[in-house]
Amino acid sequence: MSDFSEELLRPMTEDDLGETRALSGTGMCFPWLQKHIQSVVTGGKKEKDFAQTTSACLSSIQEALLKHQWQQAAEYMHSYLQILEDSDSYKRQAAPEISLQHALYLLHHGMFDDANRNLSQAETWRYGEKSSSQEVLINLIQAYKGLLQYYTWSKKKMELSQLDEDDYAYNTASQNMLNHSWKTSINLCALIQIPGVWDPFVKSYVDMLEFYGDQDGAREILTNYAYDEKFPSNPNAHIYLYNFLKREKAPREKLISVLKILYQIVPSHKLMLEFHRLLRKSEKEEHHKLGLEVLFGVLDFAGCTKNITAWKYLANYLMQTLMGNHLAWLQEEWNSRKNWWPSFHFSYFWAKSDWKEDKALACEKALVAGILLGKGYRYFRYISKQDHQVLRKKIKRMKKLVKKCSIVNPGL
């Protein structure tokens, strides 16, 4: 797809205005719209002039788009498609894409009936021989129709859940749902076989497959979407597969294998703490080692620095690792961070700020700082000197643990 939507919001420059006036004499047109129509399939091939009536109609479409008069633009577009009389097929081939863009706007604003009519018009538009790019576009248009049908199906599913299974109305509603799901699956299935990022379409299709008990079909769709090398790398594909396998109560090893790939793509994802728990419960030592790496990886990111669960997990797992005689694991992770983590996480500024904003977080971080940097380090020293009635026992315990487990001057 092109950058049509972004261009729609781009302010006109003086060069644009000059070119616009030359084309239409109104000063209110979008010169990039004509370029867009041309470039969809021509790649810049010189275009012929429209007939006078066609040019006037196109100018009206452009002016309506400029003023965000979407309904009026749609009406002009309908007229435009009917009065095209010249022999330039390229402009005609671009019409479905413009209709799709307008349908997306309508969908975004909840105008589902209007969007469905727009998509139906775009779907049936044909001119000349169908190119591969046109075929993908038509599949995309049909898939968006499928999303609208899925929306209707979802509402019917909600209604069905409120009915008694022995009620006659239940059977009628169930049959209506089945009819909608059949239409939806046809519209969605073709698109998600084409390499690309099709998250909402895949989720909708899988939801229906699961509802009708086709677990094998759902698993196959999600597995292909995540692992087929022809598809671009997509974290969501692995998230969808993991959540599906989790619902199926798949073995821990299978869940770990899926999250391991997600970890390589997005090491700061919120599922990484769940990944750590799975690794911690594994019987394999290599998984225990990876569990430590995952926690350090999460806290490498600025967006995770206030995650008290991650700090709590790391504090506990550092002690568990040391008690399991795996100091080498800890040193391996710490050596690549010891030059920047102290200022990133454990500065005097952060000690005061964390204690002021979240004392529980500050205590967890102080325990980690004490283990990694010793009891004399400024973050640990600042927190350990605080006198807080509720946290007094926690701070006392923290001091004992650092004295026992610190990798700096151990035993002192």
Side-chain angles (χ1 to χ4, degrees), residues 156-322:
K156 291 183 179 296
K157 183 173 73 169
M158 184 76 67
E159 295 169 1
L160 190 67
S161 66
Q162 299 172 356
L163 297 175
D164 189 332
E165 291 189 20
D166 296 328
D167 194 335
Y168 173 77
Y170 182 92
N171 293 329
T172 303
S174 180
Q175 186 59 47
N176 286 338
M177 278 186 63
L178 187 61
N179 293 338
H180 273 282
S181 66
W182 178 76
K183 295 176 184 177
T184 305
S185 63
I186 291 176
N187 283 324
L188 294 177
C189 193
L191 180 71
I192 63 179
Q193 305 302 320
I194 302 170
V197 178
W198 310 120
D199 292 350
F201 308 103
V202 170
K203 286 183 67 177
S204 302
Y205 190 39
V206 167
D207 184 26
M208 290 192 302
L209 290 175
E210 283 193 85
F211 181 82
Y212 290 111
D214 189 359
Q215 302 299 110
D216 292 340
R219 189 185 308 105
E220 182 180 358
I221 291 292
L222 291 172
T223 301
N224 289 341
Y225 193 50
Y227 295 131
D228 192 327
E229 294 181 354
K230 294 191 288 294
F231 282 73
S233 177
N234 178 10
N236 286 339
H238 301 282
I239 294 169
Y240 300 156
L241 178 59
Y242 172 76
N243 288 332
F244 172 80
L245 293 173
K246 189 177 176 182
R247 290 193 296 273
E248 275 201 317
K249 302 187 183 305
R252 185 188 301 130
E253 287 290 324
K254 184 63 177 178
L255 298 175
I256 286 175
S257 68
V258 176
L259 288 183
K260 189 173 182 179
I261 298 177
L262 179 63
Y263 169 65
Q264 294 166 355
I265 303 172
V266 191
S268 61
H269 194 277
K270 62 182 181 180
L271 279 174
M272 290 304 102
L273 296 182
E274 194 167 322
F275 183 34
H276 166 77
R277 292 196 297 270
L278 289 170
L279 293 167
R280 195 172 62 200
K281 293 176 182 178
S282 172
E283 297 178 356
K284 295 184 178 179
E285 191 171 90
E286 63 183 276
H287 286 164
H288 297 164
K289 183 175 185 294
L290 180 58
L292 182 64
E293 176 187 322
V294 166
L295 289 177
F296 272 104
V298 168
L299 290 167
D300 281 344
F301 291 84
C304 301
T305 57
K306 302 292 186 181
N307 190 323
I308 188 172
T309 303
W311 285 110
K312 187 177 295 186
Y313 281 3
L314 181 59
N316 291 334
Y317 208 61
L318 287 176
M319 292 184 291
Q320 181 179 328
T321 300
L322 291 170

Side-chain angles (χ1 to χ4, degrees), residues 97-117:
E97 183 169 355
I98 301 172
S99 294
L100 176 58
Q101 296 290 345
H102 182 54
L104 295 180
Y105 170 85
L106 296 172
L107 281 173
H108 180 69
H109 288 272
M111 303 165 68
F112 299 116
D113 291 338
D114 291 338
N116 191 51
R117 283 192 293 269

Side-chain angles (χ1 to χ4, degrees), residues 1-2 4 33 36-37 40-41 77 80-81 84 89-104 115 117-131 133-142 144:
M1 298 297 292
S2 67
F4 183 87
L33 182 56
H36 168 80
I37 292 172
V40 169
V41 287
M77 177 61 72
Y80 173 62
L81 298 178
L84 281 173
S89 64
Y90 303 118
K91 290 191 180 77
R92 305 182 193 194
Q93 291 172 335
E97 183 169 355
I98 301 172
S99 294
L100 176 58
Q101 296 290 345
H102 182 54
L104 295 180
R117 283 192 293 269
N118 206 290
L119 289 169
S120 295
Q121 290 178 352
E123 180 186 15
T124 57
W125 174 251
R126 295 288 187 276
Y127 187 86
E129 295 182 6
K130 186 192 297 184
S131 65
S133 61
Q134 276 185 304
E135 187 171 354
V136 173
L137 177 59
I138 295 301
N139 284 336
L140 186 58
I141 289 169
Q142 292 170 339
Y144 271 106

